[in-house]
């Protein structure tokens, strides 16, 4: 099969012919239809984070495809099911995190396209219980970004406990941010889109943002404080400075939700006096669970969200990465197989 393979963190991905994987006990073999390009895939390919994947490997964790073969003992899925391959490729199901609804914190988890081969290939193998069924009302093109960008930002809004009429500032209006804005609006938030690209801010307005701020032309802290401050600030950008700006933009009792992951194990600054006296919180939010993904698909099938993406072929993976890093992609790249 054809696959995009990371052979070295300092080199472009290679399009290779590699052996098709075989599903083991409890696994399913999925023929890919689409796969989104997430910034995490770029971090993986470049070895940016403290815990690095081991080359050679196949990135990709926004994969949508059809089950073609079942491993021994599989009863949860059937040949012909259309399923999603998400970042959470496996969790043990028995630890305190799994049984309390936080399977994304499981210490035994495997991550698609990072610790196991992912969806930048014509076929991929995934445990049947972690192959989320895609409902008929969601196209494979839309389902790909929803499988990570959607479920990640949906979870961020949930853990922020946004209530109607609260001001929610989204720092970074791109592949994740354009969906975060929509989830914040669904729960009744008054939304502020923050970015450094006018084109992305225009997209934010098209999606219903109540306010936008170009952080390259104005101080986002001053602009948001002029609105009364943010009750919630969700940071999706991978720049440590943005986290500091987002914290400073909060009003009293505000919550900063950290989602973006800068490279080099970057740190942010939290003024203790400000945090304590003004009752501010800092919350880390990783991707959502399988149940969260089902909610994301249900909302999209009901017409509550819109996915903005451009189509590419897998052969264009390196140019697509360059385009994302240059800010030339409005939201998401989706590879079509």
């Amino acid at each position: 099969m054809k696959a995009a393979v990371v052979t070295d963190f300092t080199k472009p991905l290679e399009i290779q012919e590699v052996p098709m994987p075989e599903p083991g006990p409890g696994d399913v073999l999925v023929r890919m239809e689409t796969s989104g390009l997430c910034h995490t895939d770029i971090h993986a390919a470049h070895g940016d984070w403290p815990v690095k994947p081991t080359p050679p490997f196949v990135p990709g964790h926004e994969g949508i495809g059809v089950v073609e073969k079942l491993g021994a003992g599989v009863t949860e899925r059937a040949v012909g099911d259309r399923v999603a391959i998400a970042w959470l490729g496996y969790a043990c199901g028995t630890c305190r995190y799994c049984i309390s609804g936080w399977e994304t914190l499981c210490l035994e988890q495997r991550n698609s396209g990072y610790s196991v081969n992912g969806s930048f290939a014509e076929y991929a193998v995934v445990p049947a219980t972690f192959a989320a069924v895609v409902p008929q009302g969601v196209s494979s093109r839309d389902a790909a970004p929803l499988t990570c960008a959607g479920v990640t930002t949906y979870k961020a809004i949930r853990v922020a406990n946004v209530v109607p009429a609260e001001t929610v500032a989204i720092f970074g209006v791109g592949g994740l941010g354009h969906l975060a804005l929509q989830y914040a609006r669904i729960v009744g938030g008054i939304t502020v889109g923050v970015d450094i690209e006018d084109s992305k801010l225009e997209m934010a307005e098209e999606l219903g943002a109540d306010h936008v701020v170009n952080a390259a032309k104005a101080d986002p802290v001053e602009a948001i404080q002029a609105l009364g401050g943010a009750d919630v600030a969700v940071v999706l950008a991978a720049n440590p400075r943005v986290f500091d700006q987002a914290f400073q933009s909060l009003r009293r009792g505000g919550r900063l939700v950290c989602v973006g992951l800068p490279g080099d194990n970057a740190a942010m600054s939290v003024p203790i006096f400000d945090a304590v006296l003004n009752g501010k919180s800092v919350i880390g939010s990783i991707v959502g669970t399988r149940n969260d993904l089902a909610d994301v698909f249900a909302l999209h099938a009901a017409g509550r969200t819109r996915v903005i993406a451009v189509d590419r072929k897998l052969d264009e993976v390196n140019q697509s990465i360059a385009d994302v890093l240059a800010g030339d992609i409005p939201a998401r790249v989706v590879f079509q197989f």
Side-chain angles (χ1 to χ4, degrees), residues 302-332:
R304 303 294 178 86
T305 53
R306 176 182 166 198
V307 171
I308 296 176
V310 296
D311 296 327
R312 297 281 175 89
K313 294 295 185 183
L314 189 62
D315 291 345
E316 302 173 279
V317 61
N318 290 309
Q319 183 59 53
S320 298
I321 288 173
D323 290 343
V324 169
L325 293 176
D328 293 337
I329 302 297
R332 221 36 161 196

Side-chain angles (χ1 to χ4, degrees), residues 225-252:
Q225 288 294 350
L227 297 171
D231 295 287
V232 172
V234 181
V235 181
L236 305 168
N239 184 331
R241 181 169 176 265
V242 177
F243 289 77
D244 293 335
Q245 292 175 329
F247 185 84
Q248 295 164 21
S249 76
L250 296 174
R251 63 167 51 135
R252 303 192 82 177

Side-chain angles (χ1 to χ4, degrees), residues 1-5 14-21 58 120-123 314-315:
M1 68 174 186
K2 180 192 289 187
V5 182
E14 292 184 9
I15 303 299
Q16 298 181 356
E17 289 290 328
V18 301
M20 186 183 299
V58 178
F120 285 8
E122 292 176 318
Y123 289 86
L314 189 62
D315 291 345

Side-chain angles (χ1 to χ4, degrees), residues 98-331:
C98 286
I99 64 177
S100 64
W102 283 97
E103 63 188 14
T104 50
L105 300 182
C106 176
L107 292 171
E108 302 300 320
Q109 69 180 275
R110 296 196 294 264
N111 302 117
S112 303
Y114 210 88
S115 58
V116 295
N117 284 334
S119 56
F120 285 8
E122 292 176 318
Y123 289 86
V125 164
V126 63
T129 53
F130 284 83
V133 173
V134 181
Q136 289 187 351
V138 182
S139 71
S140 295
R141 183 181 188 271
D142 286 356
L146 293 173
T147 296
C148 181
V151 74
T152 298
T153 53
Y154 172 81
K155 188 68 168 186
I157 297 301
R158 284 197 63 193
V159 300
N161 293 316
V162 178
V163 298
E166 284 194 315
T167 297
V168 182
I170 306 298
F171 285 77
V173 184
L176 277 77
H178 87 285
L179 287 161
L181 278 167
Q182 296 176 71
Y183 295 126
R185 293 186 71 239
I186 287 171
V187 297
I190 297 169
T191 54
V192 185
V194 184
D195 207 283
I196 58 173
E197 301 284 345
D198 284 331
S199 60
K200 292 183 178 179
L201 296 175
E202 289 169 5
M203 176 178 66
E205 290 179 318
E206 184 181 342
L207 293 170
D210 298 286
H211 309 277
V212 295
V213 178
N214 188 321
K217 300 177 181 178
D219 184 337
V221 176
E222 292 181 1
I224 294 171
Q225 288 294 350
L227 297 171
D231 295 287
V232 172
V234 181
V235 181
L236 305 168
N239 184 331
R241 181 169 176 265
V242 177
F243 289 77
D244 293 335
Q245 292 175 329
F247 185 84
Q248 295 164 21
S249 76
L250 296 174
R251 63 167 51 135
R252 303 192 82 177
R255 289 93 74 197
L256 170 63
V257 184
C258 303
V259 180
L261 286 172
D264 300 323
N265 201 22
M268 61 175 292
S269 175
V270 177
I272 297 172
F273 193 86
D274 184 10
V276 173
L277 267 67
N278 291 313
K280 296 179 180 179
S281 304
V282 177
I283 305 166
S285 182
I286 189 96
V287 296
T289 64
R290 288 171 287 176
N291 192 59
D292 293 323
L293 182 55
D295 291 346
V296 165
F297 284 155
L299 286 170
H300 195 72
R304 303 294 178 86
T305 53
R306 176 182 166 198
V307 171
I308 296 176
V310 296
D311 296 327
R312 297 281 175 89
K313 294 295 185 183
L314 189 62
D315 291 345
E316 302 173 279
V317 61
N318 290 309
Q319 183 59 53
S320 298
I321 288 173
D323 290 343
V324 169
L325 293 176
D328 293 337
I329 302 297

Side-chain angles (χ1 to χ4, degrees), residues 9-53:
F9 293 137
T10 64
K11 297 178 180 178
L13 278 72
E14 292 184 9
I15 303 299
Q16 298 181 356
E17 289 290 328
V18 301
M20 186 183 299
E22 282 292 322
D27 294 338
V28 294
L29 176 69
V30 180
R31 175 178 53 80
M32 306 311 306
E33 293 184 341
T34 60
S35 185
L37 171 61
C38 179
H39 211 114
T40 293
D41 298 314
I42 302 174
H43 287 306
H46 294 169
D48 288 337
W49 293 340
V51 179
K52 303 181 190 302

